[in-house]
């Protein structure tokens, strides 16, 4: 494993449910990311947190709500999702998001979400 | 605007033959280029990156990539393919004037190595 863990690995939820995805990184990084991976589409960056402050929010619907309580943990709170939100949700971390950083991202195994 | 293209959805190669997975990009300024691999039911795993210097970059599992500035390409290569190389490969890029969070991923190329 890469040092980034995600739970749960699989989640099935109805459109009226509320659930949360959890990500934890053990690499000492100071930036964390949420991506959405759908079949035959490029990875979609959803949110970026650097030093626990949200620095990116790429027009994601409000039914997705991120939370970063510290540099090691990242949550994605889900409510009233739609079937088209079914996808693999990947968490990643890196050291530094500044323009001078060349650091690669380390990814977790993902949560496979199915919305019924 | 930044963009990256992987023109092939799938590449099929016989084991032992050389393989190439193509990637082209468009950025402002100099590019920082990355290759990642994704095995089934796993997250993306970093393979290699080009920042500056030698145009031929060597990475994990015997993979290498060649940066070609005039063709704006960063193709992934391996001299002799293994069945275990079968996976989904992503090229990613960001421009030198962008923050590290603004990395753009391609849509991926599925590599299939037949025995």
């Amino acid at each position: 494993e890469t040092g980034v863990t995600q739970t749960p690995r699989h989640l099935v939820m109805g459109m009226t449910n509320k659930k949360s995805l959890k990500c934890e990184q053990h690499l000492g990084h100071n930036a964390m990311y949420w991506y959405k991976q759908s079949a035959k589409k490029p990875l979609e960056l959803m949110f970026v947190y650097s030093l626990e402050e949200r620095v990116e929010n790429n027009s994601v619907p409000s039914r997705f709500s991120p939370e970063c309580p510290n540099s090691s943990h990242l949550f994605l709170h889900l409510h009233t999702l739609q079937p088209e939100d079914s996808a693999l949700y990947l968490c990643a971390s890196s050291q530094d998001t500044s323009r001078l950083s060349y650091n690669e991202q380390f990814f977790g195994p993902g949560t496979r979400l199915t919305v019924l | 605007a930044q963009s990256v293209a992987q023109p092939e959805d799938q590449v099929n190669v016989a084991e032992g033959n050389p393989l190439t997975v193509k990637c082209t990009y468009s950025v402002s300024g100099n590019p920082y280029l990355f290759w990642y691999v994704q095995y089934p039911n796993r997250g993306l795993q970093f393979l290699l990156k080009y920042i500056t210097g030698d145009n031929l970059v060597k990475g994990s599992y015997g993979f290498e990539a060649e940066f070609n500035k005039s063709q704006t390409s960063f193709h992934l290569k391996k001299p002799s393919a293994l069945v275990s190389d079968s996976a989904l490969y992503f090229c990613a890029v960001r421009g030198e004037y962008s923050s590290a969070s603004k990395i753009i991923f391609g849509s991926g190329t599925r590599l299939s190595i037949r025995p």
Side-chain angles (χ1 to χ4, degrees):
Chain A
E1 292 295 335
T2 61
V4 180
T5 58
Q6 290 186 243
T7 55
R9 294 292 305 274
H10 301 271
L11 178 63
V12 179
M13 58 187 291
M15 289 191 285
T16 58
N17 292 156
K18 289 185 181 181
K19 297 286 184 183
S20 296
L21 309 185
K22 179 183 176 182
C23 175
E24 184 173 0
Q25 60 97 359
H26 312 275
L27 301 169
H29 291 162
N30 60 14
M32 297 186 77
Y33 310 73
W34 279 118
Y35 286 90
K36 178 183 179 182
Q37 185 179 19
S38 304
K40 298 187 179 180
K41 284 187 175 182
L43 251 63
E44 298 175 47
L45 178 63
M46 301 175 72
F47 302 103
V48 180
Y49 277 83
S50 179
L51 299 173
E52 301 156 39
E53 179 182 349
R54 189 190 309 180
V55 296
E56 288 284 342
N57 181 351
N58 289 347
S59 302
V60 178
S62 59
R63 55 186 184 268
F64 295 91
S65 175
E67 179 189 1
C68 187
N70 55 62
S71 61
S72 298
H73 294 86
L74 184 65
F75 295 89
L76 188 63
H77 303 300
L78 316 171
H79 64 97
T80 60
L81 294 191
Q82 304 299 310
E84 59 264 28
D85 296 322
S86 298
L88 183 67
Y89 288 84
L90 293 165
C91 174
S93 71
S94 71
Q95 184 60 31
D96 195 2
T97 59
S98 73
R99 188 168 57 81
L100 299 177
S101 169
Y102 319 131
N103 296 316
E104 59 273 19
Q105 295 177 18
F106 290 77
F107 285 79
T111 295
R112 174 69 62 186
L113 174 67
T114 301
V115 181
L116 302 177
Chain B
Q2 302 181 142
S3 67
V4 60
Q6 294 181 243
E8 302 156 317
D9 287 340
Q10 175 129 3
V11 170
N12 299 309
V13 177
E15 188 175 26
N17 284 0
L19 68 87
T20 298
V21 183
K22 296 179 180 178
C23 172
T24 58
Y25 66 89
S26 175
V27 296
S28 298
N30 292 316
Y32 300 145
L33 294 151
F34 304 81
W35 274 103
Y36 289 82
V37 60
Q38 186 177 31
Y39 297 101
N41 301 314
R42 303 287 294 274
L44 276 68
Q45 184 176 338
F46 170 73
L47 275 179
L48 50 80
K49 64 183 176 184
Y50 172 82
I51 304 302
T52 187
D54 193 349
N55 289 345
L56 186 63
V57 178
K58 294 190 183 297
S60 306
Y61 311 120
F63 283 95
E64 56 190 28
E66 186 169 12
F67 171 63
N68 188 317
K69 188 170 184 177
S70 63
Q71 296 186 3
T72 61
S73 67
F74 189 56
H75 300 334
L76 182 70
K77 300 181 180 184
K78 188 172 182 180
S80 178
L82 300 173
V83 173
S84 57
D85 293 329
S86 299
L88 189 57
Y89 290 80
F90 291 92
C91 181
V93 66
R94 75 166 178 97
E96 64 175 323
Y97 304 123
S98 300
S99 73
S101 64
K102 289 189 180 296
I103 186 170
I104 304 296
F105 285 85
S107 55
T109 297
R110 188 164 299 281
L111 179 62
S112 177
I113 311 299
R114 59 183 184 275

